[in-house]
Coordinates of all heavy atoms in Angstrom, one line a residue:
A137 N -23.4 28.3 11.6 CA -23.4 28.8 10.4 C -23.7 30.3 10.3 O -23.1 31.2 9.6 CB -24.3 28.1 9.4
A138 N -24.7 30.7 11.0 CA -25.2 32.1 11.1 C -24.2 33.0 11.7 O -24.3 34.3 11.5 CB -26.5 32.1 11.9
R139 N -23.2 32.5 12.5 CA -22.3 33.4 13.2 C -21.0 33.7 12.4 O -20.3 34.5 12.6 CB -21.8 32.7 14.4 CG -22.8 32.7 15.5 CD -22.2 32.3 16.9 NE -21.6 31.0 17.0 CZ -22.3 30.0 17.4 NH1 -23.6 30.1 17.7 NH2 -21.7 28.8 17.3
V140 N -20.8 32.9 11.2 CA -19.6 33.1 10.5 C -19.5 34.5 9.9 O -18.5 35.2 9.9 CB -19.5 32.0 9.4 CG1 -18.2 32.2 8.5 CG2 -19.5 30.6 10.1
F141 N -20.6 34.9 9.1 CA -20.8 36.2 8.6 C -22.0 36.9 9.1 O -22.9 36.3 9.5 CB -21.0 36.1 7.1 CG -19.8 35.8 6.2 CD1 -19.5 34.4 5.8 CD2 -18.9 36.8 5.7 CE1 -18.3 34.1 5.1 CE2 -17.8 36.5 5.0 CZ -17.6 35.2 4.7
P142 N -22.0 38.2 9.1 CA -23.2 38.9 9.6 C -24.3 38.5 8.5 O -24.1 38.4 7.4 CB -22.8 40.4 9.3 CG -21.4 40.5 9.5 CD -20.8 39.1 9.0
P143 N -25.5 38.3 9.0 CA -26.6 37.8 8.1 C -26.8 38.6 6.8 O -27.1 38.1 5.7 CB -27.8 37.9 9.0 CG -27.2 37.8 10.4 CD -26.0 38.5 10.4
A144 N -26.6 39.9 6.9 CA -26.8 40.8 5.7 C -25.8 40.5 4.6 O -26.0 40.8 3.4 CB -26.6 42.2 6.1
Q145 N -24.7 39.8 4.9 CA -23.7 39.5 3.9 C -24.0 38.2 3.2 O -23.2 37.8 2.2 CB -22.3 39.5 4.5 CG -21.8 40.8 5.0 CD -20.5 40.8 5.6 OE1 -20.3 41.4 6.6 NE2 -19.5 40.0 5.1
V146 N -25.0 37.3 3.6 CA -25.1 36.0 3.1 C -26.5 35.8 2.5 O -27.5 36.2 3.2 CB -24.8 35.0 4.2 CG1 -24.9 33.5 3.5 CG2 -23.5 35.2 4.8
T147 N -26.6 35.3 1.3 CA -27.9 34.9 0.8 C -27.9 33.4 0.4 O -26.8 32.9 0.1 CB -28.2 35.7 -0.5 OG1 -27.2 35.5 -1.5 CG2 -28.4 37.2 -0.1
Y148 N -29.1 32.7 0.3 CA -29.2 31.3 0.1 C -30.0 31.1 -1.2 O -31.0 31.7 -1.4 CB -29.8 30.6 1.3 CG -28.8 30.6 2.4 CD1 -28.7 31.7 3.3 CD2 -27.9 29.6 2.7 CE1 -27.9 31.7 4.4 CE2 -27.0 29.5 3.8 CZ -27.1 30.6 4.6 OH -26.1 30.6 5.6
E149 N -29.5 30.1 -1.9 CA -30.2 29.7 -3.2 C -30.2 28.2 -3.3 O -29.2 27.6 -3.2 CB -29.5 30.3 -4.4 CG -30.0 30.0 -5.7 CD -29.1 30.4 -6.9 OE1 -28.2 31.2 -6.6 OE2 -29.4 30.1 -8.1
W150 N -31.4 27.7 -3.6 CA -31.5 26.3 -4.0 C -31.2 26.0 -5.4 O -31.6 26.8 -6.2 CB -32.9 25.8 -3.7 CG -33.0 24.2 -4.0 CD1 -32.7 23.2 -3.2 CD2 -33.4 23.7 -5.2 NE1 -33.0 22.0 -3.9 CE2 -33.4 22.3 -5.1 CE3 -33.9 24.3 -6.5 CZ2 -33.8 21.5 -6.2 CZ3 -34.3 23.4 -7.6 CH2 -34.1 22.0 -7.3
I151 N -30.3 25.0 -5.6 CA -30.1 24.6 -7.0 C -30.3 23.0 -7.1 O -30.2 22.3 -6.1 CB -28.5 24.9 -7.4 CG1 -27.6 24.2 -6.4 CG2 -28.4 26.3 -7.5 CD1 -26.1 24.4 -6.8
P152 N -30.6 22.6 -8.4 CA -30.7 21.1 -8.5 C -29.4 20.4 -8.3 O -28.3 21.0 -8.4 CB -31.2 21.0 -9.9 CG -31.2 22.3 -10.5 CD -30.9 23.3 -9.6
R153 N -29.5 19.2 -7.9 CA -28.4 18.3 -7.6 C -27.3 18.3 -8.7 O -26.2 18.4 -8.5 CB -28.8 16.8 -7.3 CG -27.7 15.9 -6.8 CD -28.3 14.5 -6.4 NE -27.1 13.7 -6.0 CZ -26.8 13.7 -4.8 NH1 -27.3 14.5 -3.9 NH2 -25.7 12.8 -4.5
E154 N -27.8 18.3 -10.0 CA -26.8 18.2 -11.1 C -26.0 19.5 -11.2 O -25.0 19.5 -11.9 CB -27.6 17.9 -12.4 CG -28.6 18.9 -12.8 CD -30.0 18.6 -12.3 OE1 -30.1 17.8 -11.4 OE2 -30.9 19.1 -13.0
R155 N -26.4 20.5 -10.5 CA -25.7 21.7 -10.7 C -24.7 21.9 -9.4 O -24.0 22.9 -9.2 CB -26.5 23.0 -10.7 CG -27.2 23.1 -12.2 CD -28.1 24.3 -12.2 NE -27.5 25.5 -11.9 CZ -28.1 26.6 -11.6 NH1 -29.5 26.7 -11.6 NH2 -27.4 27.8 -11.3
N156 N -24.7 20.9 -8.6 CA -23.8 20.9 -7.4 C -22.8 19.8 -7.4 O -22.5 19.3 -6.3 CB -24.8 20.9 -6.1 CG -24.2 21.3 -4.8 OD1 -23.3 22.2 -4.9 ND2 -24.6 20.9 -3.7
K157 N -22.3 19.5 -8.5 CA -21.4 18.4 -8.7 C -20.1 18.5 -8.0 O -19.6 17.6 -7.5 CB -21.2 18.1 -10.1 CG -22.4 17.7 -11.0 CD -22.8 16.3 -10.5 CE -23.9 15.8 -11.5 NZ -24.5 14.5 -11.0
H158 N -19.6 19.8 -7.9 CA -18.4 20.0 -7.4 C -18.3 19.5 -5.8 O -17.5 18.8 -5.4 CB -17.8 21.3 -7.5 CG -16.3 21.6 -7.3 ND1 -15.7 22.6 -7.9 CD2 -15.5 20.9 -6.4 CE1 -14.4 22.6 -7.3 NE2 -14.3 21.6 -6.5
A159 N -19.3 20.1 -5.1 CA -19.4 19.9 -3.7 C -19.8 18.4 -3.5 O -19.3 17.8 -2.5 CB -20.4 20.8 -3.0
D160 N -20.7 17.9 -4.4 CA -21.1 16.5 -4.1 C -19.8 15.5 -4.4 O -19.7 14.6 -3.5 CB -22.1 16.2 -5.2 CG -22.5 14.7 -5.3 OD1 -23.2 14.3 -4.4 OD2 -22.0 14.0 -6.1
R161 N -19.0 15.8 -5.3 CA -17.8 15.0 -5.4 C -16.8 15.1 -4.2 O -16.2 14.1 -3.9 CB -17.1 15.3 -6.8 CG -17.8 14.7 -8.0 CD -17.4 15.2 -9.3 NE -17.8 14.4 -10.4 CZ -19.0 14.3 -10.9 NH1 -20.0 15.0 -10.3 NH2 -19.4 13.4 -11.9
L162 N -16.7 16.3 -3.7 CA -15.9 16.5 -2.5 C -16.4 15.7 -1.4 O -15.7 15.0 -0.6 CB -15.8 17.9 -2.1 CG -14.9 18.9 -3.0 CD1 -15.2 20.3 -2.7 CD2 -13.5 18.5 -2.9
A163 N -17.7 15.6 -1.2 CA -18.3 14.9 -0.1 C -18.0 13.4 -0.2 O -17.8 12.7 0.7 CB -19.9 15.1 0.0
N164 N -18.2 13.0 -1.5 CA -17.9 11.5 -1.8 C -16.5 11.1 -1.6 O -16.2 10.1 -1.2 CB -18.4 11.2 -3.2 CG -20.0 10.8 -3.2 OD1 -20.4 9.8 -2.7 ND2 -20.7 11.8 -3.8
E165 N -15.6 12.1 -2.0 CA -14.2 11.8 -1.7 C -13.9 11.7 -0.2 O -13.2 10.8 0.2 CB -13.3 13.0 -2.3 CG -13.2 12.9 -3.9 CD -12.2 14.1 -4.3 OE1 -11.9 14.9 -3.6 OE2 -11.9 14.0 -5.5
A166 N -14.6 12.5 0.6 CA -14.4 12.4 2.0 C -14.9 11.1 2.6 O -14.3 10.5 3.5 CB -15.1 13.6 2.7
M167 N -16.1 10.6 2.1 CA -16.6 9.4 2.5 C -15.7 8.2 2.1 O -15.6 7.2 2.9 CB -18.1 9.3 2.1 CG -19.0 10.2 2.9 SD -20.8 9.9 2.3 CE -20.9 10.8 0.8
D168 N -15.3 8.3 0.9 CA -14.4 7.2 0.4 C -13.1 7.2 1.3 O -12.5 6.1 1.5 CB -13.9 7.5 -1.1 CG -15.1 7.3 -2.0 OD1 -16.0 6.6 -1.7 OD2 -15.0 7.9 -3.2
A169 N -12.6 8.3 1.6 CA -11.4 8.4 2.5 C -11.7 7.7 3.9 O -10.9 6.9 4.4 CB -10.9 9.8 2.6
G170 N -12.9 8.1 4.4 CA -13.3 7.5 5.6 C -13.5 6.0 5.6 O -13.0 5.3 6.6
K171 N -13.9 5.5 4.5 CA -14.0 4.1 4.3 C -12.7 3.4 4.3 O -12.4 2.2 4.8 CB -14.7 3.7 2.9 CG -15.0 2.2 2.7 CD -15.8 2.1 1.4 CE -16.1 0.6 1.2 NZ -16.8 0.5 0.0
R172 N -11.5 4.1 3.9 CA -10.1 3.6 4.0 C -9.5 3.8 5.3 O -8.4 3.5 5.4 CB -9.4 4.3 2.7 CG -9.8 4.1 1.3 CD -8.7 4.5 0.4 NE -8.5 6.0 0.5 CZ -9.2 6.9 -0.1 NH1 -10.1 6.6 -1.1 NH2 -8.8 8.2 0.0
G173 N -10.2 4.5 6.2 CA -9.7 4.8 7.5 C -8.7 6.0 7.5 O -7.9 6.1 8.3
T174 N -8.9 6.9 6.5 CA -8.1 8.1 6.4 C -9.0 9.3 6.3 O -10.3 9.1 6.3 CB -7.1 8.0 5.1 OG1 -8.0 8.0 4.0 CG2 -6.3 6.8 5.2
Q175 N -8.3 10.5 6.2 CA -9.1 11.7 6.0 C -8.9 12.2 4.5 O -7.9 11.9 4.0 CB -8.8 12.8 6.9 CG -9.6 12.6 8.4 CD -11.1 13.0 8.1 OE1 -11.6 13.3 7.0 NE2 -11.9 12.8 9.2
W176 N -9.7 13.1 4.1 CA -9.6 13.6 2.8 C -8.4 14.5 2.7 O -8.1 15.3 3.6 CB -10.9 14.5 2.5 CG -10.8 15.3 1.2 CD1 -11.2 14.8 -0.1 CD2 -10.5 16.6 1.0 NE1 -11.0 15.8 -1.0 CE2 -10.6 16.9 -0.3 CE3 -10.1 17.7 1.9 CZ2 -10.4 18.2 -0.9 CZ3 -10.0 18.9 1.4 CH2 -10.0 19.2 0.0
E177 N -7.7 14.4 1.5 CA -6.4 15.2 1.3 C -6.6 16.1 0.1 O -6.8 15.6 -1.0 CB -5.3 14.3 1.1 CG -4.9 13.4 2.4 CD -3.8 12.4 2.0 OE1 -2.9 12.8 1.3 OE2 -3.8 11.3 2.5
P178 N -6.5 17.4 0.2 CA -6.7 18.3 -0.9 C -5.7 17.9 -2.1 O -6.2 18.1 -3.2 CB -6.3 19.7 -0.3 CG -6.5 19.5 1.2 CD -6.2 18.1 1.5
S179 N -4.5 17.5 -1.8 CA -3.6 17.2 -2.9 C -4.1 16.0 -3.8 O -3.6 15.9 -4.9 CB -2.2 16.9 -2.3 OG -2.3 15.8 -1.5
R180 N -5.0 15.2 -3.3 CA -5.4 14.0 -4.0 C -6.8 14.2 -4.6 O -7.3 13.3 -5.3 CB -5.5 12.8 -3.1 CG -4.0 12.5 -2.5 CD -4.2 11.2 -1.6 NE -4.6 10.0 -2.3 CZ -4.8 8.8 -1.7 NH1 -4.6 8.6 -0.4 NH2 -5.2 7.8 -2.5
S181 N -7.4 15.4 -4.4 CA -8.8 15.6 -4.9 C -8.8 15.8 -6.4 O -7.9 16.6 -7.0 CB -9.4 16.8 -4.1 OG -10.6 17.1 -4.7
T182 N -9.7 15.2 -7.0 CA -10.0 15.5 -8.4 C -11.3 16.0 -8.7 O -11.9 16.0 -9.7 CB -9.9 14.2 -9.3 OG1 -10.8 13.2 -8.8 CG2 -8.5 13.6 -9.2

């Protein structure tokens, strides 16, 4: 993660879980896909 951008270009901020819904839903879509034996597909994401 530290190699993707020079460190001076990236800052980090903690947010409560309820403010991270978009990424949380993507993670759950990925796990749901894994349960079906497939991988996450962008075209099916809501």
Side-chain angles (χ1 to χ4, degrees):
R139 289 193 298 267
V140 179
F141 283 95
Q145 290 177 222
V146 185
T147 58
Y148 289 86
E149 173 189 353
W150 178 85
I151 57 174
R153 184 178 180 83
E154 60 269 17
R155 289 177 56 195
N156 202 26
K157 292 295 186 184
H158 192 154
D160 175 74
R161 280 168 165 74
L162 286 169
N164 276 285
E165 285 183 352
M167 286 185 281
D168 289 342
K171 187 176 181 179
R172 296 190 300 267
T174 62
Q175 275 291 357
W176 177 80
E177 297 177 32
S179 61
R180 298 181 62 181
S181 176
T182 61

